[in-house]
Amino acid sequence: MKLPSLNEVEVFVKAPDLEGLKILHLSDIHINKKTSLKNIQDLVSLCNLCEADFIVITGDIIDCKVKYIIDKLEVLNSIEKKVFYISGNHDLFYDFDELKPLLKNFILLDNETCFLEYKDTKIALAGLSDRFSKFFKIKREENKVINFLSAYENSIFIAHQPKDYKFALKANAKLFLCGHTHGGQIYPFHYFVRLFQPFLAGIFYIKNTAIYVNKGLGYWGINFRYKAKSEITLLKLTSKSVE
């Protein structure tokens, strides 16, 4: 995992109260036995120094059994800013119950809701566990999340896979954040990914919802990317009209 430069992206949201909000969006870190401790330390330093109001990690933090990477997870847990995260399919596969206690400074939003204060605004924030949850006998509480977000004007929804954007639309969420695709990771694998996911990478706008699909930081399978660079993204929200 090579740490990329911070990618700054302006996102237009139909919510004037969210003007100027900055979110550091991480996804698919895929920490494994080969991940260097220095890379994690560098990532933590970047997170602590950036001007984000808070951090969101949209799944797949790990890519091996937790027992092999405890030292790296302890370093990751030292991020000083408020961090919200949800599960990814790899987190579930490698035992999410073992991961959660090591991220005690992070706030888990799997099927959970909460509020954030930004200036004089209350932001409704909610997330869903990954779509693979059913294979691990974990119930996804879509209606709970939709009903909660629908009740508030300023709302943000996070999930691992782009497919869940439909729940964001039903909830009239102003922003939906996800990852999972790696942007295809290796061209032309992009075309295969698009058979299963509605979006590959970047910004999309549907109705009142802005969607951002993060290409992720780590790798899956082999440590190689082609035409799908890894990313750490600072999302800068603006209420400028979306055409």
Side-chain angles (χ1 to χ4, degrees):
M1 179 183 73
K2 183 178 180 181
L3 206 64
S5 300
L6 183 64
N7 180 36
E8 297 187 8
V9 176
E10 188 174 54
V11 179
F12 303 114
V13 291
K14 293 185 176 181
D17 292 337
L18 300 184
E19 177 70 41
L21 182 69
K22 297 178 181 178
I23 305 170
L24 186 68
H25 185 191
L26 298 171
S27 196
D28 300 87
I29 305 174
H30 285 267
I31 300 171
N32 57 38
K33 289 183 280 187
K34 294 182 179 179
T35 304
S36 74
L37 187 60
K38 185 181 184 304
N39 278 343
I40 303 301
Q41 291 169 337
D42 289 344
L43 175 60
V44 170
S45 294
L46 185 152
C47 291
N48 289 338
L49 290 172
C50 80
E51 297 181 350
D53 292 289
F54 61 92
I55 297 170
V56 165
I57 304 177
T58 49
D60 279 1
I61 292 174
I62 60 174
D63 202 13
C64 70
K65 287 290 185 180
V66 167
K67 64 182 180 181
Y68 299 119
I69 53 173
I70 289 176
D71 57 338
K72 298 162 190 174
L73 292 171
E74 287 176 342
V75 171
L76 185 69
N77 189 60
S78 67
I79 294 175
E80 296 168 358
K81 286 184 170 59
K82 186 168 287 187
V83 179
F84 298 93
Y85 76 110
I86 41 86
S87 62
N89 51 305
H90 286 254
D91 300 318
L92 295 172
F93 181 78
Y94 287 110
D95 200 336
F96 198 44
D97 286 336
E98 289 189 5
L99 173 63
K100 288 183 285 187
L102 292 171
L103 300 178
K104 56 184 179 293
N105 291 336
F106 292 7
I107 300 167
L108 177 61
L109 282 182
D110 269 16
N111 310 307
E112 295 293 341
T113 64
C114 69
F115 292 104
L116 275 171
E117 294 292 332
Y118 173 66
K119 297 180 179 178
D120 296 323
T121 300
K122 179 187 288 186
I123 302 173
L125 182 62
L128 275 178
S129 59
D130 184 62
R131 297 176 72 90
F132 278 79
S133 292
K134 62 183 179 180
F135 298 111
F136 298 89
K137 298 181 180 179
I138 299 171
K139 183 181 178 181
R140 298 212 321 157
E141 300 183 54
E142 294 100 338
N143 289 334
K144 171 185 174 181
V145 168
I146 291 170
N147 292 336
F148 172 76
L149 294 177
S150 297
Y152 299 96
E153 182 66 25
N154 302 303
S155 56
I156 298 172
F157 174 49
I158 69 172
H160 182 54
Q161 299 190 36
K163 284 181 180 180
D164 284 333
Y165 85 98
K166 293 180 180 179
F167 299 123
L169 297 186
K170 287 182 180 179
N172 197 34
K174 297 303 182 291
L175 179 64
F176 172 55
L177 303 179
C178 61
H180 183 63
T181 67
H182 293 214
Q185 187 165 317
I186 302 173
Y187 183 85
F189 192 64
H190 301 56
Y191 298 111
F192 180 74
V193 175
R194 282 291 285 113
L195 294 175
F196 298 94
Q197 296 293 339
F199 314 108
L200 186 67
I203 303 176
F204 304 87
Y205 297 101
I206 301 179
K207 296 182 179 179
N208 293 322
T209 303
I211 298 166
Y212 192 80
V213 185
N214 191 298
K215 294 193 297 291
L217 183 56
Y219 307 86
W220 178 76
I222 59 174
N223 293 346
F224 182 70
R225 284 177 177 259
Y226 178 60
K227 293 188 177 181
K229 293 181 179 179
S230 59
E231 68 171 302
I232 302 171
T233 300
L234 183 64
L235 302 173
K236 298 181 177 181
L237 274 53
T238 176
S239 58
K240 181 180 177 181
S241 296
V242 179
E243 299 297 337

